[in-house]
Amino acid sequence: MIVTMILNGKKITDEIAADMTLFDFVRKHGCHSVKCGCETTNCGLCTVFLDGTPVLSCAMLAARTEGRRVETLEGLQKEAEEFGSFIADQGAEQCGFCNPGMIMNAIALFRENPEPTDEEIKQYLAGNLCRCSGYEGQLRGMHAFIEYKKNGGAACGK
C-alpha cells in the first residue's frame, strides 16, 4: 500500500506494509529522536504530533496518517532547543533517553496552556517515563521556562 503524508514539512510518499506503525515509518525516514522504550504505549518516548496533537507513534498504523501532517522533534528544532535548554540547566536530562518524548509533550502543553499549574503539568506528562530523574528537574525546568516566557524571552540568570 502507498501512503503520503507531510513529515516535518516535507511531502513523503512511500510503499508500506499494512501493519507498519507510524514509529517504524518515521524512523525509516530519518527521524531518530523518536524512540520506542516499551512497545506497550506506556512510556511516551515515541510521541509525535499528528496534525498538531501528540500521539504515540508505536500505537498508530502509518496507513492512518494518509494525507496528514506528522511532526517529530527533528521538525521542531527551534522550540525544542529553546525549551530543552531549561531542562538541561536543571540536570534533568541525565541519560537523555526520555527527553524527546518529554519535550514533545511539553511543547504541546505550552502551546495549549502557556502558564500551566503544577497539577496540569503533572497530568499532561503522566504518560512519560523517566527512570533517572524523578521528574523534579523537569518540573523546575518547566517553571524556569514559564518565567522566561512571561519575561518576554529574557531569562533570569540565563
Side-chain angles (χ1 to χ4, degrees):
M1 98 182 340
I2 303 288
V3 68
T4 300
M5 70 178 75
I6 305 300
L7 178 59
N8 294 326
K10 181 180 176 188
K11 184 177 181 178
I12 304 282
T13 299
D14 198 359
E15 188 167 341
I16 62 168
D19 63 347
M20 180 181 230
T21 63
L22 181 56
F23 168 77
D24 289 327
F25 185 91
V26 298
R27 295 281 296 192
K28 177 182 176 185
H29 290 278
C31 300
H32 297 290
S33 69
V34 184
K35 297 176 175 55
C36 190
C38 68
E39 297 181 357
T40 59
T41 69
N42 287 313
C43 70
L45 297 173
C46 68
T47 301
V48 300
F49 290 168
L50 180 61
D51 296 329
T53 301
V55 298
L56 299 175
S57 64
C58 75
M60 176 165 282
L61 293 175
R64 296 201 54 201
T65 64
E66 174 63 36
R68 299 177 79 183
R69 187 176 42 110
V70 176
E71 294 172 293
T72 68
L73 204 54
E74 287 85 356
L76 302 171
Q77 284 299 302
K78 185 176 181 197
E79 283 178 279
E81 287 175 17
E82 182 180 45
F83 171 68
S85 68
F86 286 87
I87 296 296
D89 284 349
Q90 295 300 320
E93 80 286 351
Q94 294 188 24
C95 83
F97 197 68
C98 71
N99 280 357
M102 187 79 66
I103 291 172
M104 291 295 289
N105 279 305
I107 288 171
L109 170 63
F110 292 133
R111 285 179 176 180
E112 185 179 311
N113 181 358
E115 295 184 32
T117 65
D118 278 358
E119 192 56 41
E120 290 167 328
I121 292 170
K122 289 175 183 177
Q123 184 178 16
Y124 215 89
L125 299 181
N128 288 90
L129 178 65
C130 177
R131 294 180 175 150
C132 298
S133 72
Y135 303 96
E136 290 303 314
Q138 284 96 337
L139 192 57
R140 287 190 309 270
M142 291 179 94
H143 284 293
F145 182 73
I146 292 165
E147 285 302 312
Y148 165 81
K149 287 299 206 180
K150 278 185 192 176
N151 292 328
C156 304
K158 189 152 175 64

